[in-house]
Amino acid sequence: MTKRCLIGIPPLVDVERESYWMLPGYMDGIRLAKGLPVMFPLTTNESEINQLVDAVDGILLPGGPDVDPALYGEQPIPAASESLPNRDTMELTLLHQALRQHKPVLGICKGIQLVNVAFGGTLYQDLPSQRPTHVNHCMTPPYDRTVHTVDIVEGTPLAQTLGAGSLAVNSYHHQAICNLAPCLEAMAYSEDGLVEAVRKPDETFLWAVQWHPELMYRTDEASRQLFRAFVQACRA
Ligand code: MN
């Protein structure tokens, strides 16, 4: 039996119920790509996080509530929603520790926003009020259907994986990258010009996407390919 590589995922947090939870799609998308996901406890303790990163082959940064605007030097606007400072702290530490240990990282939705903020970028705190558009970025269920396209930039590793040009994606986000962090490279733009996929070119594999492959992988080959590219990088 070949051993699967372990992918660590920080927990989703339900404050009201004092609970951790997980969206099965993150785990099942990884499992279908022949990785083995494991959910971490919520911790901001650096040595615990280092040990957790030690124990896995890669990190998936999942969706979640808004990144604290203070982390990119802004006050929250009225349309911004609650952030979870402990998750932000844990995920930033996880990200930096994973890169220090040369372990692959895939960010999804909040994950791309966190990656951008981690390297000095900023966010639109609320797209509808700050950047009105005809494109539907905040769809209603079911989420396994496509609502807009992204243009995958030729010559990027994402184009090698999914092909360059137009890809139809789902979209469920009210925030997005505003100023892209200088060290990140855009790999896809939505049809209204938002950065919807990035990578950090000097890392083996730090990719992040704004759409939701974990809600589409059952029916969407591109979502499965994205998980496979990540798990393959974790295996390498
Ligand atoms: Mn979108």
Side-chain angles (χ1 to χ4, degrees):
M1 198 181 79
T2 38
K3 240 175 139 185
R4 294 186 168 213
C5 52
L6 273 185
I7 316 279
I9 313 177
L12 308 180
V13 178
D14 186 328
V15 176
E16 240 166 66
R17 292 185 181 149
E18 298 182 56
S19 300
Y20 303 155
W21 64 286
M22 184 48 58
L23 216 67
Y26 294 119
M27 294 197 155
D28 293 340
I30 289 170
R31 291 174 59 223
L32 195 64
K34 306 259 187 282
L36 190 57
V38 54
M39 187 172 92
F40 290 157
L42 182 70
T43 172
T44 58
N45 180 295
E46 223 167 294
S47 78
E48 285 184 3
I49 292 173
N50 291 353
Q51 204 179 327
L52 289 169
V53 172
D54 257 335
V56 298
D57 304 296
I59 298 288
L60 186 143
L61 297 174
D66 295 358
V67 176
D68 183 357
L71 292 171
Y72 48 95
E74 290 184 14
Q75 297 285 327
I77 64 167
S81 53
E82 278 297 291
S83 47
L84 276 177
N86 283 352
R87 262 195 67 177
D88 290 344
T89 306
M90 174 176 186
E91 289 166 18
L92 288 170
T93 310
L94 262 180
L95 171 61
H96 289 301
Q97 189 54 35
L99 297 184
R100 222 168 286 137
Q101 296 192 24
H102 306 291
K103 294 196 174 164
V105 176
L106 175 65
I108 294 179
C109 196
K110 180 201 170 147
I112 192 176
Q113 296 162 10
L114 188 100
V115 165
N116 187 50
V117 169
F119 295 107
T122 65
L123 304 178
Y124 290 109
Q125 292 188 38
D126 181 59
L127 284 176
S129 52
Q130 293 183 315
R131 195 183 185 278
T133 171
H134 65 285
V135 173
N136 183 7
H137 289 288
C138 205
M139 69 192 291
T140 53
Y143 298 112
D144 60 344
R145 60 200 170 95
T146 59
V147 290
H148 70 68
T149 59
V150 293
D151 189 45
I152 299 178
V153 180
E154 212 177 324
T156 61
L158 190 64
Q160 278 159 31
T161 302
L162 301 181
S166 181
L167 173 74
V169 296
N170 59 1
S171 193
Y172 186 60
H173 56 111
H174 85 110
Q175 299 203 317
I177 290 175
C178 180
N179 295 319
L180 182 64
C183 66
L184 298 179
E185 176 189 54
M187 296 201 289
Y189 295 91
S190 62
E191 55 197 82
D192 56 345
L194 290 173
V195 173
E196 291 228 4
V198 301
R199 70 163 182 148
K200 193 163 182 287
D202 55 344
E203 301 291 346
T204 320
F205 192 106
L206 168 53
W207 289 17
V209 298
Q210 183 60 74
W211 62 92
H212 286 275
E214 83 282 8
L215 301 173
M216 289 255 285
Y217 72 92
R218 276 193 199 86
T219 51
D220 179 52
E221 174 59 16
S223 297
R224 292 192 286 269
Q225 273 169 333
L226 198 54
F227 280 117
R228 279 201 295 269
F230 173 49
V231 172
Q232 261 162 31
C234 295
R235 200 175 290 134

